[in-house]
Amino acid sequence: MINLKKVKNPMPEQDPIVRAGNFEEVAEGYTAQMAINEAMRCLKCRKKPCTKGCPVMVRIPEFVAKVAEGDFEAAYQIISDTSALPRICGRVCPQENQCEGFCVQGLHGEPVAIGRLERFVSDWHAAREEEMEKAALEAEDDEFAEFAEEEVIESNGRKVAVVGAGPAGLTCAGDLAAKGYEVTVFEALHKPGGVLAYGIPEFRLPKDIVAAEVRKLEKRGVTFVNNAVIGRAETVDELFEDGFEAVFVGTGAGLPSFMNIPGENLLGVCSANEYLTRINLMKGYLPEYDTPVQKAKNIAVVGGGNVAMDAARCAKRMGAENVYIVYRRSMDEIPARAEEIHHAIEEGIDFQLLKNPVAVLGDENGYVTGLECVEMELGEPDASGRRRPVVKEGSNFVLDVDCVIMAIGTKLNKLILETTENLEANDRGGIGTDAGAATNREGVFAGGDAVTGAATVILAMGAGKTAAASIDEYLGE
Ligand code: FAD
Ligand code: SF4
C-alpha cells in the first residue's frame, strides 16, 4: 500500500530549550509504527533515482519495502550489503543532497525520510544483537552462545596496516578482516573513530555507536594500536619492514585553517577542531573531567558548514549566552546539513549572514573583546558556482564577543606525504590515487579526506571499501 501523505512522519526530538542544556541525542528515533508509516510513502519508482543519489548505492526501494512489510531484519541485510556504517550514515549523511534529493515524492512535497528509516532499521538490528549477546552471557545452555563469541574467520596469514581509524580506515579494516586478512589499525589519537569520535558531538552521534562499530571490528580480529602517529613513531616504509604487505592511509584532513586576520593570536581564539576535540574526545562537557575548554559568555563561530554548526551548538550547551554564526554568504549557499541548521536555529543560535570578519579585537591583557566584521552582498557566481560575496564598503561593525571559534575548513596534514618515500600528491595537495585507491607506491593505498580534502562520512566509507577490494586483488595475485 502507498501512502500519499506529502510530508515526512516527524522525528520525535528533545524539546529545544531542554536539549540546549544537555549533550544527549537530539533526535530520538522513529518507533516501529512510525517507520512502517513512513516507508509506505515510497512510490516504488522503477528507475530508483534515490539509489543513484546514494554514493554507495544502497538498494533503497528494496529496503524501504521491507520496512513497510515490518521485516526489519531483511531491511537491515539489504542496507548492510553496501553500507558498512548504517547507524552512523542514517544520522549524519547530508541526505537532502543525496538519496532524498532525488526522491520523486520530493517533487510535490517532502521526500521519503530515507535517512530516518536507515537509522531506525540499523538501531533496531543493533538493539536485537545486544539483547542476544546479553542472553548469551546469561544463558545456562549455549543456545545463544554464538552471539557472545568472536567471529571465527580463518586467517589467510597476510598482514595489512591501516593508518587512521576514521570511517575510511574502519571500513577498509572491516572489509579486509572479513576476508581473512590480519589487519592492524594505527591511530594517532587515544581512541579510534576519527571525526566520528573527536568532531561530531554526542548530541548528533552518540559515542557508544562508534564504540560498538570498533568492538565489532575487534570481534572480527582487527587489532587497534592507539597513540601511534605514523610518520613520527614509525613511517609507512617501516611498516613494510615490519611485515605488512599493504598499507591503507586514511588519515583525514584535520589540519585547521585560519583567516590570517589581525588579532587571530589573541587569547580566546581557537579552531573548531580543537574546541570540539576538547569537548568530545576529552569529555570537556562532563563536570567530572578537568579538560580545559574555552568558556565564554558571547561566542562567534566563523563558518557555515557542519563543523561550524557543531561548534556553535556545543558552545550553547557549554553555557554561552549568545552564540553567533558568522557566515559570508546567505542561507541559500550555507553548506551545513539542513537538519543541523534547523536545529541550531531552534536552539537559539544567532545567524549573522552576509557578514565577514576583518579583525579580532582584544584588551591590553591579550584577551578577545570583539570581532570586527563587514557586511557582504552577493555578486556573480565564482568557480564553485556559488555567488561570490563582495564587501559593502564602509559597513564595518563590531560583534561584542569574548571568544572566536574558526570553522572555515581544514587542510590535509602533510606528514605521511613528507615521510613516505616517493609518495606523490594529487593536484588538491592530498595523496594521489587512481580510481581503485592505489597510490604511485606499490602496496600503498589511500582514501577518504586524505585524498579528497574535507568531504563526507559516506564518501570516506566508500573509499575504504574500494581500497579494501583493491588490496584484496593486489595481494590475491
Ligand atoms: P577522519 O575521520 O578525519 O579520520 C582520520 C583519522 O586518522 C583520525 O582519527 C586521525 O587522528 C588519524 N590520523 C591522522 N594522521 C595520522 C597519522 N599520521 N598516524 C595515525 N593516525 C593518523 N560528514 C558528514 O557526512 N556528515 C556530517 O554531519 C559531518 N559533520 C562533521 C562535523 C565535524 C565537526 C567535522 C570535522 C567533519 C564532519 N563531517 C561530516 C566530515 C566527515 O566527518 C569526514 O569527511 C570523514 O570523517 C572523513 O573520514 P576519514 O576516515 O577520511 O578521516
Ligand atoms: Fe521511493 Fe523516493 Fe526512491 Fe522513489 S525515489 S523509490 S519514492 S524512496
Side-chain angles (χ1 to χ4, degrees):
M1 202 189 12
I2 291 169
N3 169 356
L4 291 173
K5 215 171 87 175
K6 292 290 170 213
V7 291
K8 291 176 180 177
N9 284 272
M11 173 62 106
E13 285 170 355
Q14 277 197 72
D15 176 82
I17 295 173
V18 175
R19 72 182 190 233
N22 70 49
F23 273 80
E24 282 153 35
E25 193 170 14
V26 169
E28 289 162 342
Y30 276 166
T31 61
Q33 192 56 54
M34 287 172 188
I36 291 171
N37 293 347
E38 183 60 26
M40 279 164 42
R41 293 184 60 229
C42 178
L43 302 171
K44 305 180 171 64
C45 309
R46 272 200 312 151
K47 291 197 174 162
K48 306 177 174 57
C50 47
T51 291
K52 289 181 193 134
C54 169
V56 296
M57 302 276 278
V58 169
R59 302 195 309 278
I60 293 164
E62 271 180 60
F63 103 72
V64 173
K66 289 295 173 197
V67 177
E69 288 168 21
D71 189 347
F72 306 138
E73 183 55 32
Y76 176 78
Q77 294 306 333
I78 294 167
I79 298 172
S80 57
D81 259 1
T82 44
S83 173
L85 305 168
R87 288 186 86 191
I88 293 167
C89 293
R91 285 171 165 80
V92 306
C93 267
Q95 285 99 3
E96 67 271 22
N97 305 324
Q98 299 178 352
C99 52
E100 293 183 19
F102 294 84
C103 174
V104 172
Q105 275 278 33
L107 294 176
H108 304 290
E110 287 182 357
V112 173
I114 299 167
R116 292 177 187 174
L117 291 177
E118 184 173 357
R119 168 191 162 138
F120 167 77
V121 166
S122 48
D123 280 358
W124 180 91
H125 175 85
R128 187 170 162 270
E129 259 192 349
E130 206 177 300
E131 263 173 37
M132 298 289 210
E133 204 167 301
K134 219 165 134 208
L137 292 170
E138 285 166 5
E140 302 244 316
D141 58 46
D142 56 7
E143 187 191 349
F144 297 104
E146 60 174 298
F147 291 98
E149 284 169 2
E150 310 265 302
E151 256 183 78
V152 183
I153 298 166
E154 204 179 320
S155 163
N156 63 13
R158 314 201 71 171
K159 285 171 64 182
V160 178
V162 168
V163 184
L170 294 179
T171 306
C172 183
D175 279 14
L176 287 171
K179 289 189 159 89
Y181 289 92
E182 291 178 14
V183 184
T184 305
V185 180
F186 296 91
E187 166 54 48
L189 297 171
H190 67 269
K191 242 189 206 163
V195 169
L196 309 178
Y198 78 75
I200 303 180
E202 179 79 18
F203 55 81
R204 259 198 327 124
L205 178 62
K207 298 305 152 225
D208 59 359
I209 294 180
V210 182
E213 294 300 338
V214 171
R215 208 164 65 83
K216 243 195 237 171
L217 298 188
E218 284 172 335
K219 277 177 88 176
R220 206 176 270 180
V222 174
T223 305
F224 285 87
V225 181
N226 297 329
N227 300 309
V229 182
I230 300 302
R232 286 273 178 276
E234 208 175 0
T235 63
V236 167
D237 296 291
E238 285 164 346
L239 290 174
F240 285 103
E241 289 166 22
D242 290 348
F244 291 102
E245 294 178 75
V247 178
F248 172 74
V249 182
T251 44
L255 194 67
S257 298
F258 284 89
M259 293 187 76
N260 295 322
I261 54 175
E264 250 181 332
N265 56 347
L266 287 167
L267 296 166
V269 181
C270 67
S271 74
N273 265 29
E274 180 190 333
Y275 184 67
L276 290 168
T277 302
R278 284 172 185 270
I279 291 175
N280 296 319
L281 192 70
M282 298 161 77
K283 301 277 177 253
Y285 69 95
L286 295 174
E288 61 270 30
Y289 281 70
D290 55 8
T291 308
V293 187
Q294 298 271 8
K295 285 200 182 102
K297 202 164 152 200
N298 302 304
I299 298 189
V301 179
V302 182
N306 288 320
V307 185
M309 298 307 135
D310 285 344
R313 296 172 68 200
C314 279
K316 196 80 184 173
R317 285 162 171 78
M318 295 298 287
E321 284 174 22
N322 298 298
V323 182
Y324 305 98
I325 287 278
V326 180
Y327 177 57
R328 63 195 184 130
R329 290 183 159 102
S330 75
M331 217 34 132
D332 291 338
E333 292 82 21
I334 202 161
R337 290 180 78 228
E339 191 179 37
E340 309 319 328
I341 297 166
H342 169 72
H343 284 155
I345 294 170
E346 278 186 342
E347 288 164 17
I349 307 295
D350 183 339
F351 280 68
Q352 295 283 322
L353 301 171
L354 289 164
K355 310 277 170 16
N356 202 31
V358 289
V360 186
L361 311 178
D363 63 17
E364 62 284 6
N365 297 317
Y367 286 93
V368 172
T369 56
L371 184 66
E372 184 179 345
C373 301
V374 283
E375 292 182 16
M376 312 293 282
E377 54 197 350
L378 293 178
E380 294 301 309
D382 61 15
S384 72
R386 295 180 303 171
R387 291 177 65 196
R388 185 200 307 271
V390 182
V391 176
K392 274 195 204 171
E393 287 308 326
S395 61
N396 297 46
F397 70 100
V398 174
L399 263 184
D400 181 17
V401 294
D402 42 0
C403 172
V404 177
I405 299 173
M406 291 294 177
I408 56 165
T410 50
K411 294 180 288 213
L412 292 125
N413 186 323
K414 302 275 184 214
L415 185 60
I416 297 288
L417 274 168
E418 284 167 1
T419 56
T420 309
E421 247 176 72
N422 302 325
L423 185 61
E424 285 173 8
N426 60 28
D427 52 12
R428 289 176 297 243
I431 299 172
T433 62
D434 64 14
T439 69
N440 65 306
R441 276 285 311 274
E442 200 180 326
V444 181
F445 297 77
D449 284 7
V451 169
T452 57
T456 60
V457 171
I458 189 91
L459 288 173
M461 193 192 86
K465 273 195 162 300
T466 303
S470 298
I471 292 172
D472 183 41
E473 196 177 316
Y474 168 70
L475 292 179
E477 274 171 3

CSV table of all heavy atoms in Angstrom, one decimal, residues 103-132:
chain,number,residue,atom,x,y,z
A,103,CYS,N,14.5,11.9,-4.5
A,103,CYS,CA,13.3,11.1,-4.3
A,103,CYS,C,12.1,11.8,-5.0
A,103,CYS,O,11.9,13.0,-4.8
A,103,CYS,CB,13.0,11.0,-2.8
A,103,CYS,SG,11.4,10.3,-2.4
A,104,VAL,N,11.3,11.1,-5.7
A,104,VAL,CA,10.2,11.6,-6.5
A,104,VAL,C,9.1,12.2,-5.6
A,104,VAL,O,8.5,13.2,-6.0
A,104,VAL,CB,9.7,10.5,-7.5
A,104,VAL,CG1,8.4,11.0,-8.2
A,104,VAL,CG2,10.7,10.1,-8.5
A,105,GLN,N,8.9,11.7,-4.5
A,105,GLN,CA,7.9,12.2,-3.5
A,105,GLN,C,8.3,13.7,-3.2
A,105,GLN,O,7.5,14.5,-2.9
A,105,GLN,CB,7.9,11.5,-2.2
A,105,GLN,CG,7.0,10.3,-2.2
A,105,GLN,CD,5.6,10.6,-1.9
A,105,GLN,OE1,5.1,11.7,-2.3
A,105,GLN,NE2,4.9,9.7,-1.3
A,106,GLY,N,9.6,14.0,-3.3
A,106,GLY,CA,10.1,15.3,-3.0
A,106,GLY,C,9.7,16.4,-4.0
A,106,GLY,O,9.8,17.6,-3.8
A,107,LEU,N,9.2,15.9,-5.2
A,107,LEU,CA,8.8,16.9,-6.3
A,107,LEU,C,7.6,17.7,-5.8
A,107,LEU,O,7.5,18.9,-6.2
A,107,LEU,CB,8.6,16.2,-7.6
A,107,LEU,CG,9.8,15.5,-8.2
A,107,LEU,CD1,9.4,14.8,-9.5
A,107,LEU,CD2,10.9,16.6,-8.5
A,108,HIS,N,6.7,17.1,-5.1
A,108,HIS,CA,5.4,17.8,-4.8
A,108,HIS,C,5.2,17.8,-3.3
A,108,HIS,O,4.1,18.1,-2.8
A,108,HIS,CB,4.2,17.1,-5.4
A,108,HIS,CG,4.4,17.0,-6.9
A,108,HIS,ND1,4.3,18.1,-7.7
A,108,HIS,CD2,4.7,16.0,-7.7
A,108,HIS,CE1,4.5,17.8,-9.0
A,108,HIS,NE2,4.8,16.5,-9.0
A,109,GLY,N,6.2,17.5,-2.5
A,109,GLY,CA,6.1,17.5,-1.1
A,109,GLY,C,7.4,17.2,-0.5
A,109,GLY,O,8.5,17.5,-1.1
A,110,GLU,N,7.5,16.5,0.6
A,110,GLU,CA,8.8,16.1,1.2
A,110,GLU,C,9.1,14.7,0.7
A,110,GLU,O,8.3,13.9,0.6
A,110,GLU,CB,8.7,16.1,2.8
A,110,GLU,CG,8.6,17.6,3.3
A,110,GLU,CD,8.6,17.6,4.8
A,110,GLU,OE1,8.5,16.5,5.5
A,110,GLU,OE2,8.6,18.7,5.4
A,111,PRO,N,10.5,14.5,0.5
A,111,PRO,CA,10.9,13.2,0.1
A,111,PRO,C,10.6,12.1,1.2
A,111,PRO,O,10.4,12.5,2.4
A,111,PRO,CB,12.4,13.3,-0.1
A,111,PRO,CG,12.8,14.5,0.7
A,111,PRO,CD,11.6,15.4,0.7
A,112,VAL,N,10.7,10.9,0.8
A,112,VAL,CA,10.6,9.8,1.9
A,112,VAL,C,11.8,10.0,2.8
A,112,VAL,O,12.9,10.4,2.3
A,112,VAL,CB,10.7,8.4,1.2
A,112,VAL,CG1,10.8,7.3,2.3
A,112,VAL,CG2,9.5,8.2,0.3
A,113,ALA,N,11.6,9.9,4.1
A,113,ALA,CA,12.7,10.1,5.1
A,113,ALA,C,13.6,8.9,5.1
A,113,ALA,O,13.7,8.1,6.0
A,113,ALA,CB,12.1,10.3,6.5
A,114,ILE,N,14.4,8.8,4.0
A,114,ILE,CA,15.3,7.6,3.8
A,114,ILE,C,16.3,7.5,5.0
A,114,ILE,O,16.6,6.4,5.5
A,114,ILE,CB,16.0,7.7,2.5
A,114,ILE,CG1,14.9,7.7,1.4
A,114,ILE,CG2,17.0,6.5,2.3
A,114,ILE,CD1,15.4,8.1,0.0
A,115,GLY,N,16.9,8.6,5.4
A,115,GLY,CA,17.9,8.6,6.4
A,115,GLY,C,17.3,8.1,7.7
A,115,GLY,O,17.9,7.3,8.5
A,116,ARG,N,16.1,8.6,8.1
A,116,ARG,CA,15.5,8.2,9.3
A,116,ARG,C,15.2,6.7,9.3
A,116,ARG,O,15.3,6.1,10.3
A,116,ARG,CB,14.2,9.0,9.5
A,116,ARG,CG,14.5,10.5,9.8
A,116,ARG,CD,13.2,11.3,9.9
A,116,ARG,NE,13.5,12.7,10.0
A,116,ARG,CZ,12.5,13.7,10.0
A,116,ARG,NH1,11.3,13.3,9.9
A,116,ARG,NH2,12.9,14.9,10.1
A,117,LEU,N,14.8,6.2,8.1
A,117,LEU,CA,14.5,4.8,8.0
A,117,LEU,C,15.7,4.0,8.2
A,117,LEU,O,15.7,2.9,8.8
A,117,LEU,CB,13.8,4.5,6.7
A,117,LEU,CG,12.3,5.1,6.6
A,117,LEU,CD1,11.8,4.8,5.2
A,117,LEU,CD2,11.4,4.5,7.7
A,118,GLU,N,16.8,4.4,7.6
A,118,GLU,CA,18.1,3.7,7.7
A,118,GLU,C,18.5,3.7,9.2
A,118,GLU,O,19.0,2.6,9.7
A,118,GLU,CB,19.1,4.4,6.9
A,118,GLU,CG,20.5,3.7,6.8
A,118,GLU,CD,21.5,4.4,5.8
A,118,GLU,OE1,21.1,5.3,5.2
A,118,GLU,OE2,22.6,3.9,5.8
A,119,ARG,N,18.4,4.8,9.8
A,119,ARG,CA,18.7,4.9,11.3
A,119,ARG,C,17.8,3.9,12.1
A,119,ARG,O,18.3,3.1,12.9
A,119,ARG,CB,18.5,6.3,11.7
A,119,ARG,CG,18.6,6.4,13.2
A,119,ARG,CD,18.1,7.8,13.7
A,119,ARG,NE,17.8,7.7,15.1
A,119,ARG,CZ,18.1,8.6,16.0
A,119,ARG,NH1,18.7,9.7,15.7
A,119,ARG,NH2,17.8,8.4,17.3
A,120,PHE,N,16.5,3.9,11.8
A,120,PHE,CA,15.6,3.1,12.5
A,120,PHE,C,16.0,1.6,12.4
A,120,PHE,O,16.1,0.8,13.4
A,120,PHE,CB,14.1,3.2,12.1
A,120,PHE,CG,13.2,2.2,12.6
A,120,PHE,CD1,12.8,2.2,13.9
A,120,PHE,CD2,12.9,1.1,11.8
A,120,PHE,CE1,12.1,1.1,14.5
A,120,PHE,CE2,12.2,0.0,12.4
A,120,PHE,CZ,11.8,0.1,13.7
A,121,VAL,N,16.2,1.2,11.1
A,121,VAL,CA,16.5,-0.2,10.8
A,121,VAL,C,17.8,-0.7,11.5
A,121,VAL,O,17.9,-1.7,12.1
A,121,VAL,CB,16.6,-0.4,9.3
A,121,VAL,CG1,17.2,-1.8,9.0
A,121,VAL,CG2,15.2,-0.3,8.7
A,122,SER,N,18.8,0.2,11.4
A,122,SER,CA,20.1,-0.3,11.9
A,122,SER,C,20.1,-0.2,13.5
A,122,SER,O,20.8,-1.0,14.1
A,122,SER,CB,21.3,0.5,11.3
A,122,SER,OG,21.0,1.9,11.3
A,123,ASP,N,19.4,0.8,14.1
A,123,ASP,CA,19.3,0.8,15.5
A,123,ASP,C,18.5,-0.5,16.0
A,123,ASP,O,18.8,-1.1,17.0
A,123,ASP,CB,18.5,2.0,16.0
A,123,ASP,CG,19.4,3.3,16.0
A,123,ASP,OD1,20.6,3.2,15.7
A,123,ASP,OD2,18.9,4.4,16.3
A,124,TRP,N,17.4,-0.8,15.3
A,124,TRP,CA,16.6,-2.0,15.6
A,124,TRP,C,17.5,-3.2,15.6
A,124,TRP,O,17.5,-4.0,16.5
A,124,TRP,CB,15.5,-2.1,14.6
A,124,TRP,CG,14.6,-3.3,14.9
A,124,TRP,CD1,13.5,-3.3,15.6
A,124,TRP,CD2,14.8,-4.6,14.4
A,124,TRP,NE1,12.9,-4.6,15.7
A,124,TRP,CE2,13.7,-5.4,14.9
A,124,TRP,CE3,15.7,-5.2,13.6
A,124,TRP,CZ2,13.6,-6.7,14.6
A,124,TRP,CZ3,15.6,-6.6,13.3
A,124,TRP,CH2,14.5,-7.3,13.8
A,125,HIS,N,18.3,-3.3,14.6
A,125,HIS,CA,19.2,-4.5,14.4
A,125,HIS,C,20.2,-4.5,15.6
A,125,HIS,O,20.5,-5.6,16.2
A,125,HIS,CB,19.9,-4.5,13.1
A,125,HIS,CG,20.9,-5.6,12.9
A,125,HIS,ND1,20.6,-6.8,12.5
A,125,HIS,CD2,22.2,-5.6,13.2
A,125,HIS,CE1,21.7,-7.6,12.5
A,125,HIS,NE2,22.7,-6.9,12.9
A,126,ALA,N,20.8,-3.4,15.9
A,126,ALA,CA,21.8,-3.3,17.0
A,126,ALA,C,21.2,-3.7,18.3
A,126,ALA,O,21.8,-4.4,19.1
A,126,ALA,CB,22.4,-1.9,17.0
A,127,ALA,N,20.0,-3.2,18.6
A,127,ALA,CA,19.3,-3.5,19.8
A,127,ALA,C,19.1,-5.0,19.9
A,127,ALA,O,19.3,-5.6,21.0
A,127,ALA,CB,18.0,-2.7,20.0
A,128,ARG,N,18.7,-5.6,18.8
A,128,ARG,CA,18.4,-7.0,18.8
A,128,ARG,C,19.7,-7.8,19.1
A,128,ARG,O,19.7,-8.8,19.9
A,128,ARG,CB,17.8,-7.4,17.5
A,128,ARG,CG,17.3,-8.8,17.4
A,128,ARG,CD,16.5,-9.1,16.1
A,128,ARG,NE,16.4,-10.5,15.9
A,128,ARG,CZ,17.3,-11.1,15.1
A,128,ARG,NH1,18.3,-10.5,14.6
A,128,ARG,NH2,17.1,-12.4,14.9
A,129,GLU,N,20.8,-7.4,18.4
A,129,GLU,CA,22.1,-8.1,18.6
A,129,GLU,C,22.5,-8.0,20.1
A,129,GLU,O,23.0,-8.9,20.7
A,129,GLU,CB,23.1,-7.4,17.8
A,129,GLU,CG,23.4,-8.1,16.5
A,129,GLU,CD,24.7,-7.6,15.8
A,129,GLU,OE1,25.2,-6.6,16.1
A,129,GLU,OE2,25.1,-8.3,14.9
A,130,GLU,N,22.3,-6.8,20.6
A,130,GLU,CA,22.7,-6.5,22.0
A,130,GLU,C,21.9,-7.5,23.0
A,130,GLU,O,22.5,-8.1,23.9
A,130,GLU,CB,22.5,-5.1,22.4
A,130,GLU,CG,23.3,-4.6,23.5
A,130,GLU,CD,23.1,-3.1,23.8
A,130,GLU,OE1,23.2,-2.3,22.8
A,130,GLU,OE2,22.7,-2.8,24.9
A,131,GLU,N,20.6,-7.6,22.7
A,131,GLU,CA,19.8,-8.5,23.5
A,131,GLU,C,20.3,-9.9,23.5
A,131,GLU,O,20.4,-10.6,24.5
A,131,GLU,CB,18.3,-8.5,23.0
A,131,GLU,CG,17.4,-7.5,23.7
A,131,GLU,CD,16.1,-7.4,23.0
A,131,GLU,OE1,15.6,-8.5,22.5
A,131,GLU,OE2,15.6,-6.3,22.9
A,132,MET,N,20.6,-10.3,22.2
A,132,MET,CA,21.1,-11.7,22.0
A,132,MET,C,22.4,-11.9,22.8
A,132,MET,O,22.6,-13.0,23.4
A,132,MET,CB,21.3,-12.0,20.5
A,132,MET,CG,20.1,-11.9,19.7
A,132,MET,SD,19.0,-13.2,20.0
A,132,MET,CE,18.3,-13.4,18.4
